[in-house]
Amino acid sequence: MSELPRFGAGLWHFASYVDRYAVDGYAPPLSTLEQIALAGTVEDLSVVDVPYPFTPGVTVDQVKSALAEAGLSCIGVTPEIYLRKFGKGAFTNPDPQVRAEAMELLHEATGVAKELGADYVKIWPGQDGWDYPFQVNHHDLWKLAVDGMKELASAHPDQRFVIEYKPREPRVKMTWDSAARSILGIQQTGCDNIGVLLDFGHSLYGGESPADAAQLLIDHGLLWGMDVNDNLRGWDDDLMVGSVHLTEIFEYFYTLKINGWEGVWQLDQFPFREDTVETARASIRLLKALHRALDTLDIPALREAQARQDAIGAQRLVQDALLSSMGGER
């Protein structure tokens, strides 16, 4: 069996959650340090993506110490440019002062990423977009989005940035909404330190094939990170990996394997009602099974079937590898 990849998770996986109904939350709130401690109890987890700012009163030095104590490292820092202040956008806010405040937070978060030794700063501009026809000038909005990324990346040429695209939510339509549009926007910046973090669930409910999106990004040298989860394709449910689209997640990892992509297999899940630690363990259990299935998959035979566009032959090969991969795993 080939060597297992590193497994990671967004630190929010170990937080508590609210929604528009349970506004009192599904569990008591946890500090950044408490979330790190929980993440450290997941035996196979080695890295986390840390939101910034931290919860009130928590310092960078405390986060460093907590990560070390938990046996974890920081793969990324995610600036919270999607909260109330930026409800009409961060990069694309109509108020120049709010755009300046967003950029100030992004610069600050980049400094934190450097202190924590993070691989990248993850940009998820969830409030950049629109909700109604005629609400925005599409040319101006896109220019603000691209110019903002260019300004940020140009100010930190030694730091890698990844854009996590998503079709919608919290905006009805988000500006960075697909793999193709992300590639186009990054090319327009002219910056070589901007890539893409592909979220499997975002790709699914955006109407993409995640495997196809991954291949497109790889072909352009821009797949720099990824998150995995699952959903029912109509919303970003952030369910456990493989709980719905088992064959498509296998094709996704197959695409990474045949391209020699090596990176962290990272969870981006929101277990509202489930135990957060056990949810992570269950998902990593499946990720290990998918890794074993990739080792047993007859790739030459699959390539031959694909060359003939032989759907039945390809499915048989995939089923043989995939459905026998859970044996012995607890």
Side-chain angles (χ1 to χ4, degrees):
M1 179 177 171
S2 58
E3 184 178 352
L4 285 170
R6 290 190 297 163
F7 298 113
L11 194 58
W12 49 90
H13 179 105
F14 303 96
S16 56
Y17 313 102
V18 300
D19 59 26
R20 60 181 178 153
Y21 300 103
V23 294
D24 56 341
Y26 285 90
L30 298 174
S31 72
T32 299
L33 302 181
E34 290 171 321
Q35 293 168 39
I36 291 171
L38 274 180
T41 66
V42 180
E43 298 78 5
D44 297 294
L45 210 61
S46 60
V47 302
V48 287
D49 181 335
V50 181
Y52 183 82
F54 312 130
T55 52
V58 175
T59 67
V60 175
D61 285 342
Q62 287 175 319
V63 169
K64 281 184 183 178
S65 297
L67 288 169
E69 185 175 343
L72 299 168
S73 61
C74 175
I75 189 173
V77 169
T78 299
E80 293 184 330
I81 54 170
Y82 39 79
L83 302 182
R84 183 188 307 171
K85 180 189 294 187
F86 308 111
K88 288 190 175 180
F91 293 109
T92 64
N93 198 289
D95 186 338
Q97 178 60 37
V98 177
R99 294 201 301 271
E101 290 174 7
M103 193 60 66
E104 182 179 353
L105 173 58
L106 288 160
H107 289 311
E108 188 177 319
T110 303
V112 169
K114 291 175 182 178
E115 284 196 64
L116 295 178
D119 292 0
Y120 51 73
V121 176
K122 187 181 77 182
I123 307 300
W124 183 66
Q127 301 286 6
D128 285 0
W130 68 93
D131 305 310
Y132 293 93
F134 290 100
Q135 184 176 7
V136 301
N137 178 303
H138 294 291
H139 173 272
D140 293 350
L141 197 78
W142 181 241
K143 189 174 189 305
L144 284 172
V146 172
D147 288 353
M149 278 304 307
K150 181 176 182 178
E151 178 184 341
L152 175 63
S154 297
H156 305 277
D158 58 337
Q159 178 64 57
R160 285 159 63 98
F161 296 87
V162 293
I163 298 169
E164 181 180 9
Y165 69 85
K166 186 177 180 180
R168 58 192 178 278
E169 193 216 11
R171 298 311 292 261
V172 173
K173 182 68 173 177
M174 282 178 56
T175 304
W176 299 89
D177 67 353
S178 63
R181 193 174 180 92
S182 297
I183 292 168
L184 177 64
I186 291 169
Q187 289 176 342
Q188 286 182 283
T189 69
C191 297
D192 61 6
N193 59 331
I194 307 175
V196 173
L197 184 142
L198 174 55
D199 183 295
F200 181 83
H202 293 179
S203 183
L204 271 181
Y205 97 103
E208 296 178 330
S209 155
D212 177 57
Q215 187 64 65
L216 184 64
L217 290 165
I218 289 170
D219 289 344
H220 285 81
L222 292 175
L223 184 59
W224 292 4
M226 58 110 157
D227 285 342
V228 289
N229 43 48
D230 212 334
N231 60 51
L232 297 176
R233 227 176 187 114
W235 196 248
D236 187 28
D237 302 305
D238 283 327
L239 303 176
M240 287 185 285
V241 178
S243 54
V244 184
H245 294 96
L246 186 58
T247 304
E248 283 184 273
I249 193 73
F250 189 44
E251 185 190 22
Y252 177 73
F253 282 115
Y254 166 77
T255 301
L256 301 184
K257 179 182 178 73
I258 62 173
N259 283 279
W261 190 90
E262 295 181 357
V264 172
W265 293 19
Q266 185 153 282
L267 305 176
D268 182 359
Q269 303 175 148
F270 277 71
F272 281 76
R273 300 164 185 84
E274 289 71 41
D275 181 277
T276 58
V277 170
E278 289 305 318
T279 301
R281 287 173 176 157
S283 290
I284 292 174
R285 175 178 183 265
L286 181 67
L287 290 178
K288 288 179 174 180
L290 293 175
H291 186 265
R292 287 195 299 275
L294 289 171
D295 277 347
T296 61
L297 179 64
D298 189 341
I299 292 178
L302 179 58
R303 287 184 184 274
E304 289 178 9
Q306 290 175 330
R308 301 189 304 271
Q309 295 192 16
D310 178 0
I312 296 172
Q315 286 299 307
R316 284 174 174 164
L317 291 164
V318 167
Q319 290 164 2
D320 286 346
L322 187 56
L323 299 179
S324 63
S325 65
M326 293 301 294
E329 192 68 32
R330 294 288 182 267

